[in-house]
Amino acid sequence: MEGITTDPPSHRTQQVPKEPAVAGHPSALRLTLASPFYRGAAVAMFLSGLGFSAAAPQIASFLVNDLGASLTVAGLFYLTNLTAPVAAYLVGARSDRSGRRMGLFRVCAAAGFVGWTGIAFATQLWMPFVLSAVVLAFAGAAASQMFAALHDELNAHPHPNNDGVVAVVRMALTGGWVVGPVAGSFLAAQTSLRVMLSAAAVSTLVQIVPFGIRRTPRTAVAVTSPAPAVAPSASGRATLPLLAFTALYALVYAGESIKYAFLPIYMNTQLHFSPGLSGAVIGIQPLVEIVLMPFAVIVARRSGMMPLMVLGAAFGVSANICFATTGTAAGLFAGQILMGGVWGIFAALGIIVAQRLLPTAVATASAIFMSSTALSSALGGTAGGIGAGAIGLPLVFLVPAAFSLIAVAGLAVMNRSAGRGL
């Protein structure tokens, strides 16, 4: 039994043929709905995405309008995200040593509630900065703990559509990020920014509700319990492929912060699009992303995950070139559709690849990978600001195009060295 639990690929090879011979396997969606744990994970990730995405676009307005910050100081708030990778690594390492995925998940969710509630009731400008850097840094690790727990549960129940279950849960997280900004803006307009931040705090906390008092998936401790075997695997050379993949992912993701900062300005001030047209351009990407995520899993089974990642990064190059050169609504729609392809691939497969690159420390792998978005936001914001000042709009979008081109080359190299194993 030890050989099975510590070697997930071998486990899958031995167990799948023993399943009853049934014409056609249940779909990933049916598997998710049939399992209380999978279903709970999907609901929890939707609530997590809903809470964070409702608050994130409004925090700068809150700092300026309610606490009297300047625009420059409000922009510096996002640098507090740089503590998130450190916090996520500490939580992930603790999880891999103890196997207490669900306990740490609850602690991180509670940290999110405390952090956002504290910001909602802040009376001094320094308070949101401290709360974000110290408390909310740990809140972001809740999602990585959930995906680590999901990994353990899937290993306990091997099935050909297990990767699809991960994609469904990841789609739920994306769905939260689609709904959250709209819901947050509406609530803030109808009430106040403080009420909206309080609602985000509640949404972050209630993600623990679908699991009741359940402690840990049955095999989590079995998979991770041998502490001497786990600790070395999460350090040194074993982590290098994961770190390389995460860095390349961050390069691709950096384009998102540049796009959301400057594409609306470009459409409104230079192209003079109507608000409805600008909203349609922005809104088409997440719709394409959600539609493509399940197809990405299906295609990956035939082509492999890394070749599809290379294609996704290439979509990022093409999308940003569309933003930089077309100057028409059709060109921007094309760019956003291509960006939907980028995230339909990376959102569905990224966490799976990260966990397989460090299979004996999946919580650490999940934490490192998912915290990369904070680093990429800082990178994108800095590079975009410098680029906009140097070459202006819309040529600033050539900066993320260059980032994605570097990622294409790096992922192609990884495909040659590690692609077959994935």
Side-chain angles (χ1 to χ4, degrees):
M1 185 64 180
E2 292 181 0
I4 294 176
T5 55
T6 57
D7 185 3
S10 175
H11 184 186
R12 191 175 289 109
T13 301
Q14 295 180 34
Q15 294 295 326
V16 171
K18 295 181 181 180
E19 293 180 348
V22 180
H25 294 284
S27 67
L29 181 59
R30 289 182 60 188
L31 283 176
T32 304
L33 295 176
S35 165
F37 186 83
Y38 302 162
R39 188 170 62 246
V43 173
M45 289 299 92
F46 175 81
L47 292 170
S48 174
L50 179 68
F52 274 94
S53 65
Q58 303 294 331
I59 189 65
S61 297
F62 173 71
L63 295 175
V64 172
N65 298 331
D66 289 65
L67 298 181
S70 66
L71 291 176
T72 301
V73 172
L76 293 175
F77 177 83
Y78 294 96
L79 292 179
T80 61
N81 290 335
L82 294 177
T83 60
V86 177
Y89 176 80
L90 293 175
V91 173
R94 174 66 177 172
S95 176
D96 285 322
R97 287 194 300 269
S98 67
R100 294 183 64 247
R101 317 287 200 210
M102 298 305 295
L104 289 168
F105 164 73
R106 289 184 175 89
V107 169
C108 293
F113 173 75
V114 172
W116 286 119
T117 300
I119 291 175
F121 289 94
T123 56
Q124 300 293 324
L125 183 58
W126 60 267
M127 295 172 68
F129 284 80
V130 173
L131 287 166
S132 179
V134 178
V135 182
L136 290 182
F138 289 91
S144 63
Q145 288 304 296
M146 178 50 58
F147 279 104
L150 181 64
H151 174 275
D152 294 340
E153 189 80 351
L154 290 168
N155 276 353
H157 304 92
H159 191 279
N161 280 332
N162 273 358
D163 288 347
V165 172
V166 178
V168 170
V169 175
R170 188 60 178 80
M171 287 171 66
L173 179 61
T174 300
W177 279 87
V178 172
V179 175
V182 178
S185 297
F186 177 80
L187 184 59
Q190 298 300 314
T191 56
S192 70
L193 288 168
R194 292 185 185 273
V195 171
M196 183 277 300
L197 290 170
S198 299
V202 172
S203 179
T204 303
L205 181 63
V206 298
Q207 63 181 303
I208 68 177
V209 171
F211 301 100
I213 60 172
R214 178 170 182 162
R215 294 183 178 179
T216 304
R218 286 183 294 276
T219 59
V221 176
V223 173
T224 60
S225 59
V230 172
S233 67
S235 61
R237 297 182 64 181
T239 62
L240 292 179
L242 171 65
L243 292 174
F245 174 70
T246 301
L248 295 170
Y249 172 81
L251 286 175
V252 177
Y253 198 91
E256 287 293 278
S257 56
I258 296 175
K259 182 188 72 178
Y260 283 116
F262 296 109
L263 188 59
I265 296 174
Y266 174 52
M267 289 190 292
N268 295 332
T269 62
Q270 295 190 23
L271 299 181
H272 304 292
F273 286 177
S274 67
L277 181 57
S278 297
V281 171
I282 295 297
I284 194 172
Q285 176 189 319
L287 296 177
V288 173
E289 175 184 339
I290 289 178
V291 170
L292 290 184
M293 285 175 72
F295 291 100
V297 175
I298 295 172
V299 174
R301 290 176 186 150
R302 298 175 178 270
S303 66
M305 294 189 184
M306 275 299 181
L308 205 55
M309 294 274 181
V310 175
L311 179 62
F315 284 165
V317 177
S318 301
N320 283 292
I321 290 176
C322 285
F323 298 149
T325 62
T326 57
T328 65
L332 298 189
F333 271 115
Q336 280 288 77
I337 290 170
L338 287 167
M339 289 303 295
V342 174
W343 300 116
I345 293 171
F346 278 90
L349 304 177
I351 188 67
I352 301 173
V353 172
Q355 290 177 343
R356 291 184 182 179
L357 288 172
L358 198 61
T360 56
V362 293
T364 301
S366 301
I368 291 174
F369 175 75
M370 298 195 73
S371 64
S372 65
T373 56
L375 293 176
S376 64
S377 295
L379 171 64
T382 303
I386 294 173
I391 58 179
L393 297 176
L395 295 180
V396 69
F397 296 110
L398 294 178
V399 174
F403 286 165
S404 293
L405 186 61
I406 295 171
V408 169
L411 290 168
V413 172
M414 288 196 71
N415 180 48
R416 294 175 186 171
S417 59
R420 293 181 180 180
L422 298 174

